[in-house]
């Protein structure tokens, strides 16, 4: 393995934040407080679509509460997600809504001395509504005479009327699709519908805002992006960016739910600016359930193939249920095309996609930004093609996958690069051997109560949104490194660690490059005023892009250290070497082959300070020149209980190509976590809406909104994770990402295993017990 030649990379080490996390001393946003702090509660619409005609706050004010309504706020229209260039940014949000677009839409906010008083004041407010027709299905919402949810949205400073509630659309054509279908020996057409899912991150949305004496604000919030939070507050309130300071706070998970700036942030800032007192707003779990969801997608796909299994042509119609607002759906339409065409080679493709507004909670990225939904669809249809052509499903994947040397659409047609590292073949072949692929049951061949199924699916995700030529996605990182007087290093970055150990990986990269003990790298808690810009922790870019920036700056720091050491050792700087001395816990710079011609980093800094040479520090930004795919593959063995419809896991084999593995145990943990979320997507989760009230029917957390428990999952003896050896030349020490690819293929593997067990294929998610029993009863061959 490549990692065998490294000192700390690829080794399991104690996490720098491990003790604080396991002892409960780590402070998250909801743990923070200030004296004289006001507590905020949100007044939410009880209707899915209604004009707010009047808000009577008189009783709330009598209770001593401070209330803000849309009349107290700037009319600025904005988009809370700032990762796209202006021409791809669609703005349809206001801080508080004058027209409610879903049940739970914030229409006013109340601040008081305690949460109890704030809640009482909230309940005393009277609202007069003009109720409008509401839509909970994309097809019904986009008919010709449907009432518009948004009368005006803004794109690149241009006002636009969204016709038929279509918020955005994208069409792509490459090659002669009509001729390619004529060449095909087999054509399959299928329709799919994915489910809406809640992120279920450990930490609900929270924000603490402190007004400053200069008229600015300090902000602590749950976020994946410090600098974009500051940018949006500047855009909405017109404050100088130098007067907005967003502090880094540990993030209790996110999975994409905080790529956008959470709406609790500008609401809390508005109250802090009005009251000139610190304010805190933390969502309850039930409120958080109505704050963000994954995208529901409707697909109609047509695929053509040759008799030998070669894929030829493809057409995909895709419709997104955006919910009530855009969180950059236009970018998602492009990504979905990329997820599709970068799985398997197609001679010609056509793609038509639309994003449609409905009266539901706004949809946002969820660990894969549409990739899990697209991969679920594609991996099922690949199995169907194989079955129709009497080809093994594994072989048809090996024949058609997009791999080494192929062009890869990382984040859609505007973000393309060539694949330079690929472990797909080894993932599939090793996984097949470990699961006993060629001994799996024949499709639809079993009788009896319990039926065994084995299924596979493969997938990938980008590592960042970089490319040789930048497209419509902003993606660069930066950091600061400085050497302290004792020879330790301070690492300062705005990049957010979502809890998976991203910054730990950066520290290892820095320690490896500078030949220092890992303990000597200090990860500094910083803010927007003490860091350079980082776009956001998304697109599995944490190690690839953020680690790439850390490596770039570490190399610059290394050159500066060499210059100081050369003056001390009277040696040529370029000839000096670095090594680590663990006995002294120091980095050492030396002239190779010359006895006693060496100096520790601590000694260098001591001499430099006393001779007035100055400090050693470096700062820079970095955009990666590619977005290399990290590949994953899952082989799942399960049982289907035909009496109850229950799916019982028996064994999982998961393979991944993530380049050089920086943190082995943490990377393995990503695979386990991704599988749990993929299982939940496949068999449990769905956010159902009451067509009368417009509210969720399963609105109780863990009572009637179900996710897997620990007993539904497998222990390590039955969950086999392996990493294949590749080296990504554009990545820091050959590393790529892992976060999103850990989830993307899971639902497809489970769906294929269910089909292998009972001979029934499901084209809408989730595959619930009720659905299994219903389809089994309709199967004429059942219970023989």
């Amino acid at each position: 393995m490549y990692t065998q030649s490294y000192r700390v990379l690829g080794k399991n080490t104690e996490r720098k934040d491990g003790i604080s996390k396991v002892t409960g001393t780590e402070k998250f946003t909801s743990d923070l407080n200030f004296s004289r702090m006001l507590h905020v509660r949100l007044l939410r619409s009880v209707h899915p679509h209604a004009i707010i005609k009047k808000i009577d706050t008189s009783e709330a004010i009598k209770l001593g509460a401070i209330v803000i309504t849309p009349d107290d706020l700037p009319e600025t229209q904005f988009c809370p997600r700032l990762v796209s260039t202006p021409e791809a940014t669609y703005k349809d949000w206001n801080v508080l809504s004058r027209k409610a677009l879903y049940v739970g839409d914030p229409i006013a906010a109340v601040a008081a001395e305690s949460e109890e008083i704030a809640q009482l004041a909230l309940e005393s407010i009277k609202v007069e509504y003009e109720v409008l027709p509401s839509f909970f299905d994309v097809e019904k919402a986009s008919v010709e005479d449907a009432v518009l949810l948004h009368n005006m949205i803004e794109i690149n400073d241009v006002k636009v009327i969204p016709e038929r509630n279509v918020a955005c659309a994208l069409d792509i054509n490459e090659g002669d699709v009509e001729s390619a279908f004529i060449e095909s020996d087999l054509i399959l057409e299928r329709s799919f519908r994915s489910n809406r899912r809640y992120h279920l991150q450990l930490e609900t949305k929270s924000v603490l805002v402190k007004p400053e004496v200069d008229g600015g604000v300090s902000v602590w919030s749950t976020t994946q992006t410090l600098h974009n939070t500051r940018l949006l507050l500047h855009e909405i309130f017109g404050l100088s960016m130098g007067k907005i300071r967003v502090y880094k706070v540990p993030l209790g998970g996110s999975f994409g739910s905080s790529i956008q700036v959470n709406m609790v942030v500008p609401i809390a800032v508005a109250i802090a600016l009005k009251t000139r007192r610190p304010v805190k707003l933390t969502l309850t779990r039930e409120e958080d359930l109505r704050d963000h969801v994954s995208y529901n997608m409707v697909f109609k796909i047509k695929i053509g193939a040759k008799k030998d299994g070669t894929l030829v042509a493809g057409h995909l119609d895709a419709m997104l249920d955006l919910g009530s607002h855009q969180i950059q759906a236009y970018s998602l339409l492009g990504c979905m095309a990329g997820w599709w065409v970068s799985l398997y080679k197609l001679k010609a493709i056509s793609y038509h996609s639309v994003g449609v507004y409905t009266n539901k909670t706004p949809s946002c990225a969820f660990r894969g930004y549409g990739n899990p939904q697209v991969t679920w669809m594609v991996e099922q249809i690949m199995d169907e093609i194989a079955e129709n052509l009497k080809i093994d499903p594994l072989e048809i994947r090996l024949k058609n996958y997009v791999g080494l040397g192929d062009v890869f659409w990382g984040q859609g047609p505007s973000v393309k690069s060539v694949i330079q590292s690929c472990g797909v073949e080894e993932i599939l072949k090793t996984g097949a051997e470990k699961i006993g692929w060629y001994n799996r049951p024949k499709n639809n061949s079993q009788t009896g109560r319990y039926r065994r199924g084995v299924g596979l699916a493969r997938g990938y995700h980008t590592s960042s949104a970089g490319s040789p030529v930048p497209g419509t996605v902003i993606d660069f990182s930066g950091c600061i490194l400085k050497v302290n007087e004792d020879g330790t290093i301070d690492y300062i970055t705005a990049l957010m660690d979502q809890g998976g150990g991203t910054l730990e990986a950066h520290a290892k990269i820095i320690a490896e490059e500078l030949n220092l003990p890992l303990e000597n790298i200090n990860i500094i808690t910083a803010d927007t005023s003490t860091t350079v810009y980082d776009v956001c922790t998304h697109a599995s870019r944490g190690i690839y892009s953020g680690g790439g920036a850390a490596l770039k700056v570490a190399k610059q720091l290394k050159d500066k250290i060499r210059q100081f050491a050369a003056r001390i050792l009277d040696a040529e700087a370029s000839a000096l070497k670095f090594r680590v001395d663990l006995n002294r816990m120091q980095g050492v710079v030396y002239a190779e082959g010359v006895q006693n011609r060496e100096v520790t980093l601590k000694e260098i800094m001591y001499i430099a300070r006393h001779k007035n040479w100055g400090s050693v520090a470096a700062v820079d930004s970095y955009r990666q020149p590619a977005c290399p795919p990290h590949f994953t593959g899952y082989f799942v063995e399960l049982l289907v209980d035909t009496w109850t419809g229950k799916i019982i896991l028996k064994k999982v084999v998961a393979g991944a190509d993530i380049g050089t593995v920086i943190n082995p145990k943490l990377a393995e943990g990503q695979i386990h976590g991704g599988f749990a979320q993929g299982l939940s997507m496949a068999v449990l989760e769905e956010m159902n809406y009451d067509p009368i009230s417009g509210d969720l029917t399963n609105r109780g957390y863990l009572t009637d909104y179900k996710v897997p428990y620990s007993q539904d999952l497998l222990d390590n003896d039955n969950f086999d994770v392996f990493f294949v050896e590749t080296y990504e030349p554009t990545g820091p020490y050959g590393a790529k990402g892992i976060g999103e690819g850990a989830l993307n293929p899971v639902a497809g593997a489970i769906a294929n295993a269910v089909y292998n067990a009972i001979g029934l294929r499901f084209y809408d998610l989730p595959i619930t017990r009720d659905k299994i029993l219903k389809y089994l009863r309709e199967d004429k061959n059942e219970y023989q």
Side-chain angles (χ1 to χ4, degrees), residues 47-86:
H47 298 288
H49 196 192
I51 296 171
I52 313 303
K53 298 188 71 176
K54 183 180 179 181
I55 301 178
D56 182 355
T57 63
S58 57
E59 294 300 317
I61 293 171
K62 288 178 183 177
L63 289 170
I66 297 96
V67 184
I68 62 166
T69 70
D71 292 336
D72 300 303
L73 295 165
E75 291 288 342
T76 307
Q77 204 167 33
F78 59 87
C79 178
R81 176 171 172 166
L82 303 177
V83 298
S84 298
T85 52

Coordinates of all heavy atoms in Angstrom, one line a residue, residues 47-86:
H47 N -51.0 27.1 7.5 CA -51.5 26.8 6.1 C -50.3 26.6 5.2 O -49.3 27.2 5.2 CB -52.4 27.9 5.6 CG -53.6 28.2 6.5 ND1 -54.7 27.3 6.5 CD2 -53.9 29.2 7.3 CE1 -55.6 27.8 7.4 NE2 -55.1 29.0 7.9
P48 N -50.5 25.7 4.2 CA -49.5 25.4 3.2 C -49.3 26.5 2.2 O -48.3 26.6 1.5 CB -49.9 24.1 2.6 CG -51.4 24.1 2.7 CD -51.7 24.7 4.0
H49 N -50.4 27.3 2.0 CA -50.3 28.4 1.0 C -51.3 29.5 1.3 O -52.5 29.2 1.3 CB -50.6 27.8 -0.4 CG -50.2 28.7 -1.5 ND1 -50.6 28.5 -2.9 CD2 -49.4 29.8 -1.6 CE1 -50.1 29.5 -3.6 NE2 -49.4 30.3 -2.9
A50 N -50.8 30.6 1.7 CA -51.7 31.7 2.2 C -51.0 33.0 2.2 O -49.8 33.1 2.6 CB -52.2 31.3 3.6
I51 N -51.8 34.1 1.9 CA -51.3 35.4 2.0 C -51.5 35.8 3.5 O -52.5 35.6 4.1 CB -52.0 36.4 1.1 CG1 -51.7 36.0 -0.4 CG2 -51.6 37.8 1.4 CD1 -52.6 36.7 -1.4
I52 N -50.4 36.5 4.1 CA -50.5 37.0 5.5 C -51.1 38.4 5.4 O -50.5 39.3 5.0 CB -49.2 37.0 6.1 CG1 -48.4 35.7 5.9 CG2 -49.3 37.3 7.6 CD1 -49.1 34.4 6.3
K53 N -52.4 38.5 5.7 CA -53.1 39.8 5.6 C -52.8 40.7 6.8 O -52.7 41.9 6.7 CB -54.6 39.5 5.4 CG -55.0 38.7 4.2 CD -56.5 38.7 3.9 CE -57.0 40.0 3.5 NZ -58.4 40.0 3.2
K54 N -52.8 40.1 8.0 CA -52.6 40.9 9.2 C -52.0 40.0 10.3 O -52.4 38.9 10.5 CB -53.9 41.4 9.7 CG -53.9 42.4 10.9 CD -55.2 42.9 11.3 CE -55.2 43.8 12.5 NZ -56.5 44.3 12.9
I55 N -51.0 40.6 11.1 CA -50.5 39.9 12.2 C -50.7 40.9 13.4 O -50.1 42.0 13.5 CB -49.0 39.7 12.0 CG1 -48.7 38.7 10.8 CG2 -48.4 39.0 13.3 CD1 -47.3 38.5 10.5
D56 N -51.5 40.4 14.4 CA -51.8 41.2 15.6 C -50.8 40.8 16.7 O -50.9 39.7 17.2 CB -53.2 41.0 16.0 CG -53.6 41.8 17.2 OD1 -52.7 42.5 17.8 OD2 -54.8 41.8 17.6
T57 N -49.9 41.6 17.1 CA -48.9 41.3 18.1 C -49.1 42.0 19.4 O -48.2 41.9 20.3 CB -47.5 41.7 17.5 OG1 -47.4 43.1 17.3 CG2 -47.2 41.0 16.2
S58 N -50.2 42.6 19.6 CA -50.5 43.5 20.7 C -50.3 42.7 22.1 O -49.7 43.2 23.0 CB -51.8 44.2 20.7 OG -52.9 43.2 20.5
E59 N -50.9 41.5 22.1 CA -50.8 40.7 23.3 C -49.4 40.3 23.6 O -49.0 40.2 24.8 CB -51.8 39.5 23.2 CG -53.3 39.9 23.2 CD -53.7 40.7 24.4 OE1 -53.3 40.3 25.5 OE2 -54.5 41.6 24.2
A60 N -48.7 39.9 22.6 CA -47.3 39.5 22.8 C -46.5 40.7 23.4 O -45.6 40.5 24.3 CB -46.7 39.0 21.5
I61 N -46.7 41.9 22.9 CA -46.0 43.0 23.4 C -46.3 43.3 24.8 O -45.4 43.7 25.6 CB -46.3 44.2 22.5 CG1 -45.7 44.0 21.1 CG2 -45.7 45.5 23.1 CD1 -46.1 45.0 20.0
K62 N -47.6 43.1 25.2 CA -48.0 43.3 26.6 C -47.2 42.3 27.5 O -47.0 42.6 28.7 CB -49.5 43.0 26.8 CG -50.3 44.1 26.2 CD -51.8 43.7 26.3 CE -52.7 44.8 25.7 NZ -54.1 44.4 25.8
L63 N -46.8 41.2 27.0 CA -46.0 40.2 27.8 C -44.5 40.6 27.9 O -43.7 39.9 28.5 CB -46.2 38.8 27.2 CG -47.5 38.1 27.4 CD1 -47.6 36.9 26.5 CD2 -47.8 37.8 28.8
G64 N -44.2 41.7 27.3 CA -42.8 42.1 27.3 C -41.9 41.6 26.2 O -40.7 41.7 26.2
A65 N -42.6 40.9 25.2 CA -41.8 40.3 24.1 C -41.5 41.4 23.0 O -42.2 42.4 22.9 CB -42.6 39.2 23.5
I66 N -40.5 41.1 22.3 CA -40.2 41.9 21.1 C -40.5 41.0 19.9 O -40.2 39.9 19.8 CB -38.7 42.3 21.0 CG1 -38.3 43.1 22.2 CG2 -38.4 43.0 19.7 CD1 -37.7 42.4 23.4
V67 N -41.3 41.6 18.9 CA -41.8 40.8 17.8 C -41.2 41.5 16.5 O -41.2 42.7 16.4 CB -43.3 40.8 17.8 CG1 -43.8 39.9 16.6 CG2 -43.8 40.3 19.1
I68 N -40.8 40.7 15.6 CA -40.5 41.2 14.2 C -41.4 40.5 13.2 O -41.7 39.3 13.4 CB -39.0 41.0 13.9 CG1 -38.6 39.6 13.8 CG2 -38.1 41.9 14.8 CD1 -37.2 39.4 13.1
T69 N -41.8 41.2 12.2 CA -42.6 40.7 11.1 C -41.9 41.1 9.8 O -40.9 41.8 9.9 CB -44.0 41.3 11.2 OG1 -44.0 42.7 10.9 CG2 -44.7 41.1 12.6
P70 N -42.5 40.7 8.7 CA -41.8 41.1 7.4 C -41.7 42.6 7.3 O -40.8 43.1 6.6 CB -42.8 40.5 6.4 CG -43.3 39.3 7.0 CD -43.5 39.7 8.5
D71 N -42.6 43.4 7.9 CA -42.5 44.8 7.8 C -41.3 45.4 8.5 O -40.9 46.5 8.2 CB -43.7 45.5 8.5 CG -45.0 45.2 7.8 OD1 -45.0 44.9 6.5 OD2 -46.1 45.2 8.4
D72 N -40.6 44.6 9.4 CA -39.4 45.1 10.0 C -38.1 44.8 9.3 O -37.0 45.1 9.8 CB -39.3 44.5 11.5 CG -40.5 44.9 12.3 OD1 -40.8 46.1 12.5 OD2 -41.2 43.9 12.8
L73 N -38.2 44.1 8.2 CA -37.1 43.5 7.5 C -36.8 44.1 6.1 O -37.8 44.6 5.5 CB -37.2 42.0 7.4 CG -37.3 41.3 8.8 CD1 -37.8 39.9 8.6 CD2 -35.9 41.3 9.4
P74 N -35.6 44.0 5.6 CA -35.3 44.5 4.3 C -36.1 43.6 3.3 O -36.3 42.4 3.5 CB -33.8 44.2 4.1 CG -33.3 44.2 5.5 CD -34.4 43.6 6.4
E75 N -36.4 44.1 2.1 CA -37.2 43.4 1.1 C -36.2 42.6 0.2 O -36.7 41.9 -0.7 CB -38.0 44.4 0.2 CG -39.1 45.1 0.9 CD -40.3 44.1 1.2 OE1 -40.3 43.1 0.5 OE2 -41.1 44.4 2.0
T76 N -35.0 42.5 0.5 CA -34.0 41.8 -0.3 C -34.4 40.4 -0.6 O -34.7 39.6 0.3 CB -32.6 41.8 0.4 OG1 -32.3 43.2 0.8 CG2 -31.5 41.2 -0.5
Q77 N -34.4 40.1 -1.8 CA -34.6 38.7 -2.2 C -33.3 38.0 -2.4 O -32.3 38.6 -3.0 CB -35.4 38.6 -3.6 CG -36.2 37.3 -3.8 CD -37.2 37.5 -4.9 OE1 -36.9 38.2 -5.9 NE2 -38.3 36.8 -4.8
F78 N -33.1 36.8 -1.9 CA -31.8 36.1 -1.9 C -31.9 34.6 -2.1 O -33.0 34.1 -2.0 CB -31.1 36.5 -0.6 CG -31.8 36.0 0.6 CD1 -31.6 34.7 1.2 CD2 -32.6 36.9 1.3 CE1 -32.3 34.3 2.3 CE2 -33.3 36.5 2.5 CZ -33.1 35.2 3.0
C79 N -30.8 34.0 -2.2 CA -30.7 32.5 -2.2 C -29.7 32.2 -1.0 O -28.6 32.8 -1.0 CB -30.1 31.9 -3.5 SG -29.9 30.1 -3.4
P80 N -30.1 31.3 -0.1 CA -29.3 31.0 1.0 C -28.0 30.2 0.7 O -27.2 30.0 1.6 CB -30.2 30.3 2.0 CG -31.2 29.7 1.1 CD -31.4 30.6 0.0
R81 N -28.0 29.6 -0.5 CA -26.8 28.8 -0.8 C -25.9 29.5 -1.8 O -26.4 29.8 -2.9 CB -27.3 27.4 -1.5 CG -26.1 26.6 -1.9 CD -26.6 25.2 -2.3 NE -25.5 24.5 -2.9 CZ -25.4 23.2 -3.1 NH1 -26.4 22.4 -2.8 NH2 -24.4 22.6 -3.7
L82 N -24.7 29.8 -1.4 CA -23.8 30.6 -2.2 C -22.6 29.8 -2.7 O -21.5 30.2 -2.4 CB -23.3 31.8 -1.4 CG -24.4 32.7 -0.8 CD1 -23.9 33.8 0.1 CD2 -25.3 33.3 -1.9
V83 N -22.9 28.8 -3.5 CA -21.7 28.0 -4.1 C -21.7 28.1 -5.6 O -20.9 27.5 -6.2 CB -21.8 26.5 -3.6 CG1 -21.6 26.4 -2.1 CG2 -23.0 25.9 -4.1
S84 N -22.7 28.9 -6.1 CA -22.8 29.0 -7.6 C -22.4 30.4 -8.0 O -22.6 31.4 -7.3 CB -24.1 28.6 -8.1 OG -24.4 27.2 -7.8
T85 N -22.0 30.5 -9.3 CA -21.8 31.9 -9.9 C -23.1 32.6 -10.1 O -24.2 31.9 -10.1 CB -21.0 31.7 -11.2 OG1 -21.7 30.8 -12.0 CG2 -19.6 31.2 -10.9
P86 N -23.1 33.9 -10.3 CA -24.4 34.6 -10.3 C -25.4 34.1 -11.4 O -26.6 34.1 -11.1 CB -24.0 36.1 -10.6 CG -22.6 36.2 -10.0 CD -22.0 34.8 -10.2

